[in-house]
Amino acid sequence: MNIPRAGFVGLGLMGAPMAKNLVRKGWTVTAWNRSPAALEDFRRLGGSAARSVEQLRDEPVIVFMLPDLAYIEDAAAGLLASWQSSPPAAGTAVVVMSSVSPTAVKDFGRKVHAASSGKAVVLDAPVSGGTRGAVDGTLAIMAGADHDADFQRLLPLFRAMGTTVRLLGPLGAGSLAKACNQLVVGTTTAALAEAAELAERSGVDVAALFEVLSGGLAGSRVLDQVGPRIAAKDYTPTGPAKFMHKDLSFVVASAGAAGAAVPMALAGVELYAELKRQGLGDQDLAVVRQTISNLSMTGAVGAAEGITS
């Protein structure tokens, strides 16, 4: 890509800092967002605002950072209709950086290919690193692309937002890698939350426990980043916890297709479904501790004892 120009759809908790980093790295970025306040903030930093996603039709690359693929397909409907009437330039790239189904993103790729008369290509490139990584430009980016050349020409885009960038296979491979990432993050966070509740109910200081754990084999980046929020019961959102249920559901579906056993993912799906049932889904991922605390108060402990007896 000779001209550092991009469209960007979705200026939420992750998308806004990612788009801002593109601008800071010298890219000309035109963004669309459902709410106008985020667009005004983006313009003050040197970005431009689009009146619709369709207005981005001639950008060489269009990044989508929306909650799920259903949102992306809805937002892209006008864009694809425009391309059906008048195809874009050959090599136009649509980059899905949200956490989406590895299977569904392949279907989306086929829809884009058909609507653009084969001129546009879809890559999936979900990210890990949270809002801190998005702000600092240190995200890990897991890419899937059917052709290595498409990935290579988008490397400057990815490196403006992340420090670890890998092509993991064809379209869908990036989303599968993100599902694996969420399997580790979601179940580790849940384990830390269980440990915190067990420790506190047994008279052990949770912050002191986590300090000791961080110096041993139990130490991890999840403990370093989420542990303090779990210990402090600080559930101020850095990203809604409800999305973990969605992501672990992708793990289960992918495991079914691959014939892989995922007992931890199955347990995690149920736990985060319970989190949503308790009305905690819009709070931070650390709120899974509150879910476990609530279960402890409603007889789940007795049920667990019955299973092990």
Side-chain angles (χ1 to χ4, degrees):
M1 295 170 55
N2 297 320
I3 302 173
R5 198 176 85 238
F8 204 104
V9 179
L11 298 176
L13 286 172
M14 294 291 291
M18 290 165 65
K20 290 172 185 176
N21 276 327
L22 285 174
V23 172
R24 291 189 184 104
K25 296 293 179 64
W27 286 70
T28 298
V29 182
T30 303
W32 179 87
N33 194 66
R34 193 174 298 277
S35 60
L39 279 172
E40 286 302 316
D41 181 50
F42 185 60
R43 281 201 286 208
R44 283 193 291 271
L45 289 175
S48 300
R51 294 184 301 275
S52 66
V53 177
E54 182 182 346
Q55 191 180 339
L56 303 175
R57 56 153 288 126
D58 294 322
E59 297 295 335
V61 55
I62 306 169
V63 174
F64 283 87
M65 194 62 182
L66 297 173
D68 200 357
L69 196 58
Y71 291 84
I72 293 172
E73 292 188 310
D74 181 63
L79 175 71
L80 299 191
S82 173
W83 282 349
Q84 283 181 319
S85 299
S86 177
T92 296
V94 174
V95 185
V96 176
M97 301 195 77
S98 316
S99 298
V100 301
S101 161
T103 301
V105 77
K106 296 177 185 178
D107 294 333
F108 181 62
R110 287 188 283 269
K111 291 176 184 176
V112 170
H113 184 271
S116 66
S117 299
K119 301 294 186 181
V121 62
V122 173
L123 295 82
D124 61 326
V127 302
S128 180
T131 53
R132 184 74 266 159
V135 170
D136 294 342
T138 57
L139 292 169
I141 300 176
M142 313 159 218
D146 288 335
H147 302 287
D148 180 70
D150 294 325
F151 170 75
Q152 294 297 332
R153 64 193 175 88
L154 288 170
L155 270 176
L157 177 93
F158 296 142
R159 286 176 175 158
M161 297 181 284
T163 51
T164 302
V165 183
R166 295 289 184 274
L167 176 62
L168 294 164
L171 180 62
S175 297
L176 181 62
K178 179 58 186 288
C180 293
N181 178 87
Q182 296 302 82
L183 171 59
V184 174
V185 173
T187 57
T188 302
T189 300
L192 289 170
E194 287 189 19
E197 281 297 300
L198 174 59
E200 185 171 280
R201 290 167 185 270
S202 303
V204 174
D205 182 79
V206 175
L209 171 67
F210 281 3
E211 182 180 356
V212 172
L213 294 183
S214 67
L217 191 58
S220 69
R221 191 165 295 181
V222 177
L223 175 56
D224 293 343
Q225 293 191 10
V226 188
R229 300 201 295 274
I230 291 175
K233 301 181 183 179
D234 177 7
Y235 308 139
T236 305
T238 61
K242 61 187 176 186
F243 292 149
M244 185 56 73
H245 178 255
K246 173 199 71 170
D247 293 343
L248 291 179
S249 297
F250 296 154
V251 174
V252 173
S254 298
V262 284
M264 295 296 290
L266 288 168
V269 163
E270 178 51 37
L271 177 61
Y272 287 100
E274 174 63 22
L275 181 151
K276 291 168 63 179
R277 287 192 290 268
Q278 292 181 12
L280 303 174
D282 290 328
Q283 299 188 59
D284 189 79
L285 182 63
V287 80
V288 70
R289 177 178 180 181
Q290 185 60 52
T291 303
I292 292 166
S293 178
N294 293 342
L295 287 171
S296 300
M297 301 295 290
T298 58
V301 171
E305 289 172 349
I307 291 171
T308 57
S309 61

